[in-house]
């Protein structure tokens, strides 16, 4: 919250700046230490002037700590894993820790490693634990340093004679000890605050909390109904906004019955957008009723005439044509290696559009001051390149006049890294200022105006030498969206000397976005299935073939061996079932094995069991990693067996769970077993490693069961029956 | 607009609404009982599941006039004192929720099942729960938590 009197606020604080660029602040009472790492002194002064308590941690006299989480919490566990790292280095007692979202101030709370020298608050790409690992540990170590410095001053002993145990500072020579709570009233601030590099932080073998079974901090609120999502926000004088966006992306609306709508009970205003008609009303019911009555003529759009299910033949022609695509990566000489190969295997793989289907439809609440100079937004966002989510630019006001109140996300999966819904809400609130506006997307809005994982086609060729070794892999992706279709086409853990992937661009005017695992889903499916075909053609066991390919990547190999062991790969599957294997690299490394059966008359595939072995580096919060793998696998099964968006003449054909079904509880497997391999390497993301395993593991199992190949995602019963009849 | 009396979590509420209004929006927007979530509005996802006289119902598909005749409505906020229903405890023990959005609906659906049949077997649980979607894919843990809670409930009865 902006402080009412910024000058007073600044002068009441002590401000210290060090060469290392770290500043430390003390609250007025001296009881609340706050630490800020930032290189720009003016920036810090300003930030502090606007936020009464901006920092990583607050300490109270009863010893309770509040640690700030800088990342979005969308179910992936950041509300626990990041503060845990901080508490570990601070040597805090985890039982005395509370967690709150940090303010959205990138300079202080961003993580590095995006572009050189930049920081972002952006919860995407399974980067959170990976990119905050050292940030949180350094900040925790600095908090510990302040406590030790204060104790040293109080006892008048050298700081290097002090040590800590959970929540206490000790001076062994004199036998003195002070708890963190007791130190709260004795805090003194050092002249300089060191930066702690990885070498000065705890060795993973010394961890007390990290890597242990820790209960997630926000779960109690998620079982009693009190966890707050943005759609749960209610403010005095709040009104409701909805938009009708149609189902032809990019089409422009003309409203034909404006006066009728304005005459409806409760309707306050019609707000036209380029691509939609907005209605604001006193109640949600009134807004939704008005939305249903809108009579709109829609213009043609770039997508007009596009039929998603007919496009694949042209994609296949593009893949086979000699056109030069954009090289995604290249090593060795694939053309020469294919030319000299003893045998070349090739395959074509297709995938339809898929939709995020996060359980909480998009929504936000915004309030803009009467003079238009201040804005508050309550939102579940994966944040963005700009931690104020573009709101300052929309309103022409400075970033410090915008407060983003981050709420829990009812699922993200990439959809909430696109803040189109925030923009809409702010534009409505601007019209209605100073009344706060709650914007709600209905499920139909969320489906029809979604931003999908693109459809694409993969054309692959693998060259094999006389000894059954894969010497070349060529991978051509045809589709819309650049990295959205190209990611995951590269293989860093298979020792294939000649590799090349290229992308051939298409464009259909359909909205696209990152969808959990992005291009890894379709691309790993294609790669792993082709390798399976090589194994079959060469008379090799699929696991044995991969073992050879992983000879130079012991960590990948360990996941393969462990998964094979868990699944009993060398023993026959139960009657009527078969197993399939797939390896995925997405930050962390994982091998998955599934066991399936097929109902040959209905075409239904049933996944009975799934085993998965993972190397994620340091496992910061193991139970959460298991949860991410379980959830990622279930989402994978759902998308692989059921989900697709189809487009006819540019119009999205689906609108709700009735025609976009998800996997349900009665279709979930009998068991999912996850094993996390021990490692002390830097942690890697785990949110997107499981999902891409599913398509290839199922398709490979299907081949072992039926001798047929599944080449088009999703594997709907109809496609399964076709494959069986082929 | 008309006046309706709703009996929710043991408390009487007078609400003004148009006949035909959905109970879901009345709970969430008028009464602030926001634990009941909106997911689809067409009785497909189960995230709005509540109890009406002990039976699991989808609040999005209930019209206000059909539940204002003295029926006892229970939402997640009224399931237990202080969130200590055996299912809620089991949910914490099994660390079920991820994003958490579907979980009030899951717990309300499961509570109705265990009231009727605390010793429900896996197949029964799977079928009974199949109307409540979870996009985060927490089904395996939901199953585990329901079995755990069923056990706790039967043990406390026999003890
Ligand atoms: S919101 Fe009621 S069942 Fe989906
Ligand atoms: S926990 Fe996210 S939808 Fe179920």
């Amino acid at each position: 919250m902006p402080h009412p009197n910024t000058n007073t606020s600044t002068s009441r604080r002590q401000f210290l700046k060090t060469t290392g660029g770290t500043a430390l602040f003390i609250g007025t009472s001296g009881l609340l230490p706050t630490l800020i790492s930032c290189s720009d002194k003016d920036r810090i002064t300003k930030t502090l002037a606007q936020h009464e308590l901006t920092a990583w941690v607050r300490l109270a006299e009863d010893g309770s700590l509040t640690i700030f989480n800088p990342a979005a919490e969308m179910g992936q566990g950041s509300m626990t894993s990041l503060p845990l790292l901080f508490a570990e280095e601070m040597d805090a007692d985890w039982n005395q820790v509370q967690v709150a979202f940090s303010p959205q101030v990138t300079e202080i709370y961003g993580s590095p490693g995006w572009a050189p020298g930049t920081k972002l608050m952006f919860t995407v790409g399974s980067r959170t634990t990976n990119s905050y690992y050292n940030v949180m540990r350094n900040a925790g170590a600095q908090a510990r340093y302040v406590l030790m410095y204060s104790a040293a001053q109080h006892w008048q002993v050298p700081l290097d004679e002090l040590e800590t145990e959970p929540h206490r500072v000790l001076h062994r020579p004199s036998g003195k000890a002070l708890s963190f709570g007791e130190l709260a009233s004795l805090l003194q601030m050092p002249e300089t605050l060191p930066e702690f590099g990885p070498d000065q932080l705890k060795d993973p073998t010394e961890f007390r909390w990290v890597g242990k079974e820790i209960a997630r901090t926000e779960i109690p609120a998620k079982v009693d109904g009190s966890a707050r999502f943005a759609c749960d926000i209610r403010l005095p004088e709040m009104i409701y906004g909805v938009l009708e966006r149609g189902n032809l992306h990019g089409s422009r609306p003309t409203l034909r019955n404006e006066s009728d709508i304005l005459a409806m009970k409760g309707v306050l205003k019609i707000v036209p957008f380029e691509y939609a008609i907005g209605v604001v009303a006193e109640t949600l019911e009134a807004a939704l009723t008005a939305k249903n009555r809108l009579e709109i003529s829609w213009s043609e759009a770039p997508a007009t005439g596009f039929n998603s299910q007919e496009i694949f033949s042209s994609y296949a022609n593009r893949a086979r044509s000699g056109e030069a695509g954009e090289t995604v990566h290249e090593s060795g000489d694939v053309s020469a290696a294919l030319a000299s190969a003893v045998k070349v295997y090739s395959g074509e793989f297709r995938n339809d559009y898929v939709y995020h289907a996060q359980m909480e439809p998009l929504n936000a609440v915004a309030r803009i001051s009467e003079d238009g100079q201040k804005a508050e937004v309550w939102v579940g966002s994966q944040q963005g390149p700009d931690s104020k989510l573009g709101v300052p630019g929309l309103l022409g006001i400075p970033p410090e006049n915008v407060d983003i109140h981050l709420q829990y996300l009812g699922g993200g999966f990439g959809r909430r890294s696109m803040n189109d819904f925030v923009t809409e809400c702010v534009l409505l609130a601007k019209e209605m200022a100073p009344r706060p506006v709650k914007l709600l997307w209905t499920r139909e809005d969320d489906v029809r105006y979604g931003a999908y994982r693109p459809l694409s086609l993969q054309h692959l060729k693998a060259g094999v030498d006389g000894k059954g070794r894969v010497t070349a892999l060529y991978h051509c992706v045809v589709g819309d969206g650049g990295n959205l279709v190209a990611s995951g086409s590269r293989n860093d853990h298979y020792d294939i000397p000649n590799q090349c992937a290229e992308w051939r661009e298409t464009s259909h005017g359909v909205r696209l976005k990152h969808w959990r695992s992005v291009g890894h889903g379709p691309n790993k499916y294609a790669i792993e299935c082709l390798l399976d075909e090589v194994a079959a053609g060469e008379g090799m066991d699929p696991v044995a073939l991969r073992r050879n390919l992983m000879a130079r990547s012991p960590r990948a190999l360990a996941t393969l061996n462990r998964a094979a062991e868990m699944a009993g790969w060398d023993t026959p599957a139960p009657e009527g079932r078969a197993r399939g294997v797939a390896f995925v690299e997405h930050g962390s490394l994982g091998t998955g094995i599934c066991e399936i059966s097929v109902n040959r008359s209905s075409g239904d595939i049933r996944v009975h069991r799934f085993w998965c072995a993972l190397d994620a580096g340091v496992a910061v919060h193991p139970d959460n990693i298991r949860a991410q793998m379980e959830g990622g696998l279930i989402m994978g099964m759902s998308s692989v067996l059921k989900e697709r968006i189809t487009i006819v003449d540019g119009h999205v054909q689906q609108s709700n769970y009735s025609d976009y079904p998800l996997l349900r509880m009665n279709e979930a497997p009998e068991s999912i077993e996850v094993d996390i391999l021990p490692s002390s390497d830097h942690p890697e993301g785990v949110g997107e490693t499981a999902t891409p395993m599913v398509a290839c593991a199922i398709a490979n199992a299907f081949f072992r069961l039926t001798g047929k190949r599944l080449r088009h995602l999703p594997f709907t019963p109809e496609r399964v029956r076709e494959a069986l009849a082929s | 607009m008309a006046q309706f009396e709703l009996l929710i979590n043991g408390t009487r509420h007078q609400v003004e609404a148009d006949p035909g209004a959905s109970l879901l929006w009345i709970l969430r927007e008028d009464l602030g009982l926001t634990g009941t979530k909106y997911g689809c509005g067409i009785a497909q996802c189960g995230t709005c599941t509540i109890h009406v006289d002990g039976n699991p119902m989808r609040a999005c598909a209930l019209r206000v006039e059909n539940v204002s005749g003295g029926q006892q409505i229970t939402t997640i906020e009224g399931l237990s004192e202080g969130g200590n229903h055996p299912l809620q405890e089991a949910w914490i023990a099994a660390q079920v929720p991820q994003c958490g959005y579907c979980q009030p609906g899951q717990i309300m659906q499961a509570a109705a099942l265990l009231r009727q049949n605390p010793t429900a077997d896996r197949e029964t649980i799977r079928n009974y729960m199949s109307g409540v979607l979870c996009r985060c894919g927490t089904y395996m843990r939901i199953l585990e938590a329901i079995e755990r809670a069923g056990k706790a409930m039967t043990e406390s009865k026999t003890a």
Side-chain angles (χ1 to χ4, degrees):
Chain A
M1 288 285 238
H3 193 279
N5 190 336
T6 50
N7 290 334
T8 320
S9 170
T10 316
S11 63
R12 274 157 49 199
R13 292 168 187 278
Q14 223 175 302
F15 175 78
L16 299 164
K17 173 122 171 40
T18 70
T19 47
T22 298
L24 182 124
F25 298 90
I26 316 166
T28 43
S29 60
L31 300 183
L32 300 162
T34 61
L35 303 176
I36 294 177
S37 294
C38 181
S39 53
D40 178 348
K41 182 172 168 174
D42 289 341
R43 183 85 223 173
I44 296 172
T45 317
K46 271 195 211 150
T47 304
L48 238 224
Q50 288 136 19
H51 301 272
E52 176 122 46
L53 293 168
T54 44
W56 287 104
V57 63
R58 296 180 200 159
L59 170 62
E61 277 175 85
D62 66 359
S64 67
L65 287 174
T66 304
I67 299 173
F68 282 149
N69 169 24
E73 174 58 86
M74 48 192 175
Q76 89 286 28
S78 69
M79 213 64 182
T80 308
S81 57
L82 297 190
L84 194 63
L85 289 165
F86 185 104
E88 181 71 60
E89 289 298 334
M90 188 179 179
D91 218 358
D93 175 359
W94 180 250
N95 299 312
Q96 305 210 46
V97 170
Q98 290 161 356
V99 180
F101 285 117
S102 78
Q104 298 296 303
V105 181
T106 308
E107 290 80 357
I108 302 169
Y109 301 107
S111 71
W114 299 86
T118 63
K119 283 179 168 187
L120 290 180
M121 297 181 81
F122 206 9
T123 312
V124 296
S126 299
R127 293 179 49 111
T128 300
T129 304
N130 174 275
S131 70
Y132 276 107
Y133 185 62
N134 287 332
V135 173
M136 297 310 287
R137 294 165 79 213
N138 176 49
Q142 290 179 331
R144 175 174 176 267
Y145 181 85
V146 173
L147 292 166
M148 290 171 71
Y149 177 86
S150 303
Q153 294 292 304
H154 180 68
W155 290 324
Q156 290 297 306
V157 298
L159 193 147
D160 59 14
E161 287 181 3
L162 299 183
E163 54 194 283
T164 55
E165 58 183 33
H167 243 68
R168 279 151 61 88
V169 178
L170 310 177
H171 184 244
R172 284 205 196 273
S174 65
K176 287 184 188 142
L178 281 168
S179 71
F180 285 6
E182 287 164 336
L183 277 163
S185 56
L186 301 172
L187 287 174
Q188 298 197 42
M189 297 304 150
E191 281 295 313
T192 59
L193 194 57
E195 294 284 328
F196 294 86
D199 297 347
Q200 297 151 285
L201 299 170
K202 282 188 186 175
D203 184 84
T205 55
E206 300 170 75
F207 288 156
R208 288 181 207 270
W209 311 102
V210 170
K212 305 295 188 302
E213 297 305 328
I214 299 280
R216 281 173 58 156
T217 56
E218 92 292 16
I219 279 187
K222 287 179 175 176
V223 305
D224 67 11
S226 64
R228 220 166 45 176
F229 299 82
C231 59
D232 300 334
I233 298 292
R234 293 158 77 240
L235 299 173
E237 293 290 295
M238 189 174 80
I239 48 185
Y240 295 84
V242 292
L243 267 67
E244 179 53 53
R245 303 170 191 79
N247 65 347
L248 171 64
H249 297 177
S251 173
R252 289 164 187 267
T254 308
L255 179 61
R256 300 196 309 268
N257 62 339
E258 177 165 343
S259 50
D260 295 352
I261 299 296
L262 284 173
M264 288 177 70
K265 196 180 65 178
V267 171
L268 297 170
K269 192 155 194 173
I270 291 175
V271 184
F273 288 71
E274 242 179 48
Y275 58 91
I277 301 291
V279 180
V280 184
E282 285 288 348
T283 66
L284 182 53
E285 291 271 2
L288 291 170
T289 308
K291 175 167 144 64
N292 281 335
R293 300 238 177 108
L294 292 169
E295 289 173 17
I296 298 173
S297 304
W298 294 98
S299 74
E300 293 203 336
T304 302
F306 170 59
N307 296 304
S308 61
Q309 302 318 99
E310 287 167 17
I311 203 72
F312 286 106
S313 57
S314 79
Y315 275 35
N317 291 337
R318 294 276 307 276
R320 289 186 213 116
S321 76
E323 76 176 85
E326 192 173 308
T327 303
V328 180
H329 70 88
E330 193 166 19
S331 59
D333 185 340
V334 165
S335 309
L338 284 174
S340 64
V342 169
K343 186 150 187 209
V344 174
Y345 294 82
S346 69
E348 220 171 69
F349 302 88
R350 299 157 192 230
N351 64 284
D352 294 337
Y353 291 106
V354 290
Y355 154 64
H356 296 88
Q358 76 292 340
M359 286 307 301
E360 180 195 17
L362 300 173
N363 65 81
V365 176
R367 174 163 62 196
I368 293 166
S369 63
E370 193 136 33
D371 63 3
Q373 291 305 302
K374 286 204 168 128
E376 280 184 279
V377 181
W378 290 259
V379 64
S381 167
Q382 293 177 242
Q383 308 135 299
D386 145 26
S387 65
K388 298 295 167 85
L389 311 180
V391 179
L394 281 174
L395 299 175
I397 60 177
E400 54 269 29
N401 287 13
V402 175
D403 272 334
I404 303 289
H405 306 293
L406 203 62
Q407 309 294 316
Y408 292 128
L409 283 67
F413 313 118
R415 181 60 185 88
R416 284 188 160 91
S417 63
M418 181 181 188
N419 289 303
D420 52 346
F421 59 108
V422 177
T423 301
E424 290 176 353
C425 186
V426 166
L427 293 177
L428 293 180
K430 186 180 166 193
E431 293 290 324
M432 309 310 292
R435 292 189 77 177
V437 175
K438 180 187 282 191
L439 169 80
L440 185 77
W441 287 43
T442 64
R443 176 60 62 192
E444 288 80 4
D445 298 337
D446 208 278
V447 175
R448 301 195 304 177
Y449 206 65
Y452 315 119
R453 184 178 77 185
L455 60 68
S456 65
L457 178 142
Q458 281 79 13
H459 180 70
L460 273 71
K461 289 183 212 166
V464 177
D465 70 9
K467 292 176 187 146
R469 287 185 303 222
V470 182
T471 54
L473 184 63
Y474 167 78
H475 189 148
C476 173
V477 187
V478 185
D480 192 357
N483 199 48
L484 294 185
V485 290
S487 94
S489 59
R490 188 188 165 109
N491 304 284
D492 287 325
H493 296 273
Y494 285 145
D495 184 20
I496 301 173
N498 304 288
Q499 291 194 42
C500 169
E502 58 168 312
W503 167 52
R504 296 183 184 171
E505 182 175 10
T506 62
S507 173
H508 305 298
V510 174
R511 283 156 47 91
L512 306 171
K513 193 65 192 124
H514 301 79
W515 186 99
R516 194 177 198 170
S517 313
V518 195
H520 279 67
N523 287 321
K524 293 301 178 203
Y525 160 56
I527 293 165
E528 292 293 310
C529 285
L530 191 72
L531 289 178
D532 214 68
E533 295 188 33
V534 171
E538 298 294 313
M540 288 180 77
D541 175 81
V543 167
L545 175 103
R546 287 174 175 78
R547 261 186 203 128
N548 293 343
L549 289 172
M550 290 173 177
R552 292 189 193 196
S553 184
R555 292 177 69 185
L557 181 61
T559 69
L560 177 70
N561 286 335
R562 179 70 188 117
E565 184 187 8
M566 291 164 74
W569 181 262
D570 294 327
T571 63
E575 181 63 28
R577 298 186 184 183
R579 300 190 193 112
V581 62
F583 166 74
V584 169
E585 45 184 89
H586 190 298
S588 54
L589 309 174
T591 300
I593 295 177
C594 71
E595 184 173 288
I596 68 161
S597 64
V598 181
N599 180 328
R600 287 171 196 254
S601 53
S602 70
D604 284 311
I605 293 176
R606 176 100 206 196
V607 181
H608 297 277
R609 306 186 66 182
F610 214 110
W611 299 269
C612 172
L614 187 77
D615 181 339
V618 170
V620 174
H621 188 193
D623 187 54
N624 187 49
I625 296 177
R626 282 191 289 275
Q628 281 300 300
M629 300 312 284
E630 291 162 15
L633 291 171
I634 297 263
M635 186 162 169
M637 291 171 208
S638 182
S639 62
V640 164
L641 297 176
K642 294 177 162 302
E643 298 175 30
R644 61 169 163 169
I645 290 286
T646 55
I647 291 172
V648 174
D649 190 16
H651 293 82
V652 177
Q653 299 298 295
Q654 289 73 24
S655 66
N656 207 317
Y657 293 126
S658 45
D659 48 20
Y660 191 91
L662 304 186
L663 195 86
R664 292 179 179 274
M665 171 79 114
N666 56 338
E667 301 161 313
E670 290 146 32
S671 67
I672 295 179
E673 290 169 43
V674 177
D675 195 31
I676 304 164
L677 303 183
S679 167
S680 52
D681 284 292
H682 191 93
E684 293 289 350
V686 299
E688 299 176 279
T689 314
T691 307
M693 288 173 189
V694 179
C696 15
I698 291 179
N700 292 343
F702 186 84
F703 172 75
R704 280 158 64 103
L705 193 61
T706 67
K708 307 287 184 181
R709 294 286 175 189
L710 293 170
R711 295 181 180 276
H712 196 154
L713 285 168
F715 308 148
T716 57
E718 189 187 0
R719 284 184 183 150
V720 168
R721 288 198 304 269
E722 262 170 43
L724 288 170
S726 66
Chain B
M1 286 273 182
Q3 190 79 19
F4 297 95
E5 185 177 276
L6 298 174
L7 178 56
I8 306 170
N9 301 332
T11 306
R12 283 175 205 288
H13 297 268
Q14 307 296 328
V15 296
E16 289 243 316
D18 284 324
S22 146
L23 177 64
L24 177 60
W25 302 132
I26 292 175
L27 291 174
R28 290 184 47 78
E29 304 299 335
D30 297 344
L31 302 175
L33 293 166
T34 54
T36 305
K37 304 298 188 204
Y38 163 71
C40 71
I42 57 166
Q44 285 285 317
C45 75
T47 152
C48 66
T49 301
I50 56 164
H51 295 175
V52 178
D53 292 335
N55 299 312
M57 305 281 254
R58 313 293 184 228
C60 69
L62 292 173
R63 294 157 169 257
V64 60
E65 64 271 25
N66 295 337
V67 286
S68 52
Q71 291 94 332
Q72 300 209 23
I73 298 168
T74 310
T75 68
I76 185 75
E77 290 89 350
L79 181 67
S80 66
E81 294 264 323
N84 63 357
H85 187 284
L87 276 166
Q88 289 167 312
E89 285 171 354
W91 240 247
I92 292 172
Q95 293 281 289
V96 175
Q98 290 190 24
C99 85
Y101 193 78
C102 74
Q103 301 296 341
Q106 305 280 7
I107 292 170
M108 294 307 283
Q109 181 76 14
L113 169 64
L114 290 192
R115 178 159 33 199
Q116 297 161 16
N117 181 6
T119 56
D121 62 13
R122 278 210 151 197
E123 233 16 64
T124 310
I125 298 174
R126 280 168 173 276
N127 288 327
Y128 197 88
M129 296 303 293
S130 68
V132 192
L133 292 172
C134 175
R135 181 49 148 178
C136 297
T138 63
Y139 296 136
M140 310 311 291
R141 291 180 185 228
I142 291 174
L143 209 52
E144 180 194 332
I146 296 174
E147 288 181 338
R148 210 187 260 249
K151 237 179 160 185
M153 284 165 76
T154 35
E155 274 165 17
S156 74
K157 260 192 203 139
T158 51

